Structures are given as structure tokens and as C-alpha cells.
Amino acid sequence: VPDDYLEALSASTIATCGVPGWYAGIVKGRSNDPQTLSHPDYRLDNLFFDDRADEIELTVIDWGRVAAQRPGMALALFLTDSGLSNEDIAKCIDIYWRELATKGVTNFSKEDCMSEFRIGVVEVLAMRLWQFSTGSNEGADDRIKAMRKRGWDRLIPILENFACLDAIPADSQ
């Protein structure tokens, strides 16, 4: 991981992520339900908003890697790259949970949704660390490098503010 990226991490985050196998147990003990469709490249440049009518219509493009996942990962991918304040992120999580409930997702409380979001943020962190450790940033064009740096700079305050590492099951650490 480049030094300028490491500087953003707290000592406790480095200690947690420095333990071999720290990520392997994140999903330990969790069921696979509920699952939602996930757009792993859900960022603002893949979203188009049409506000010409009374209600804003949203069109999402680039569905090349769609998958069924736990709801926290899709939410975390989008919100960690959104540039929203932590207060607005909390509001979005509440809206997301209410929408899931109105669309028929049952046995998934608001607390479950927050927990899934927090674990999703940790999954995003692990994904970013993996990208750096495999050298996938090498050879990337300047736009991709800038996008990844911006995403990293947005991710870390969310990770800390929502105490996301605390959501990792204790018996998996």
C-alpha cells in the first residue's frame, strides 16, 4: 500500500488489517439472506438523473458485473464513493432500509441494515487493500488512479466514523 494511503489509516486499523487472515472471518456466522442485486461499479459517473418531470428519474448504466450480494456491500460501494457527509450517509442507510422493507425484504431490521453497511465498508477496505497489494493500480491511467485515490480518501473517514471494524465478529479476528 502506498505510503500516502497508509498515512490515512489509524493505528488500530493498521493493527487489525496487519494480522494475517484478518479478512477471512468477516462473513463468518452470517447467513446469505437477504440478498439484493449489486452493481459493483455504482458511482456517480454511472448514474443519470432526469429531473424534467415532477419526480426525478434515475438511470443506471454499466451492469457488466452485476451480482447477488448481501445488501451492505452494494450500499457501502456506493456511499463510500459518494462524497456525502456522514450525516447524509446515515440518512441514506435509513432510506435504503425503508425501501428494502417496502419491496418485501423481511426479517431485516434497521440495525441489521446498519451492521451490513458497516461490514460492507470493511469489505470495500479489503478490496482496496487487495488492489494495492496486487499492483492493480500500476499501469492504470491517471483518471483511474485519481478515482481510486478519491475513493480511498472518502472511505477512511466513513470507516472510522461508523466504527466499521467493530462490526467484524469477535470470533473471526
Side-chain angles (χ1 to χ4, degrees), residues 136-145 148:
S136 69
N137 218 30
E138 299 303 317
D141 66 35
D142 289 342
R143 178 183 165 273
I144 297 296
K145 288 179 181 178
R148 288 181 178 160

Side-chain angles (χ1 to χ4, degrees), residues 2-71:
D3 288 343
D4 57 329
Y5 285 70
L6 281 176
E7 291 170 0
L9 297 176
S10 69
S12 63
T13 300
I14 292 172
T16 298
C17 299
V19 174
W22 74 274
Y23 178 71
I26 288 176
V27 295
K28 187 178 183 179
R30 293 165 62 213
S31 74
N32 285 329
D33 294 323
Q35 290 198 355
T36 59
L37 286 180
S38 175
H39 185 300
D41 202 13
Y42 212 50
R43 58 178 195 260
L44 291 177
D45 57 346
N46 284 334
L47 305 175
F48 294 88
F49 300 90
D50 182 352
D51 64 353
R52 294 176 290 183
D54 290 338
E55 301 227 357
I56 296 175
E57 186 175 316
L58 170 65
T59 300
V60 180
I61 63 167
D62 193 7
W63 287 89
R65 296 181 289 154
V66 68
Q69 289 185 319
R70 302 273 312 168

Side-chain angles (χ1 to χ4, degrees), residues 88-138:
D88 286 338
I89 287 172
K91 290 176 187 175
C92 287
I93 295 166
D94 185 57
I95 292 167
Y96 182 75
W97 171 75
R98 283 188 277 128
E99 281 297 309
L100 288 177
T102 63
K103 302 293 188 244
V105 175
T106 58
N107 297 322
F108 190 67
S109 69
K110 187 174 177 180
E111 292 76 23
D112 292 337
C113 190
M114 179 58 79
S115 178
E116 283 295 323
F117 167 74
R118 292 169 66 211
I119 291 171
V121 171
V122 174
E123 290 174 321
V124 172
L125 172 67
M127 182 175 62
R128 300 290 183 241
L129 291 171
W130 176 83
Q131 286 173 333
F132 296 128
S133 70
T134 61
S136 69
N137 218 30
E138 299 303 317

Side-chain angles (χ1 to χ4, degrees), residues 76-96:
L77 277 167
F78 178 68
L79 291 177
T80 58
D81 195 39
S82 68
L84 294 173
S85 69
N86 288 325
E87 180 180 305
D88 286 338
I89 287 172
K91 290 176 187 175
C92 287
I93 295 166
D94 185 57
I95 292 167
Y96 182 75

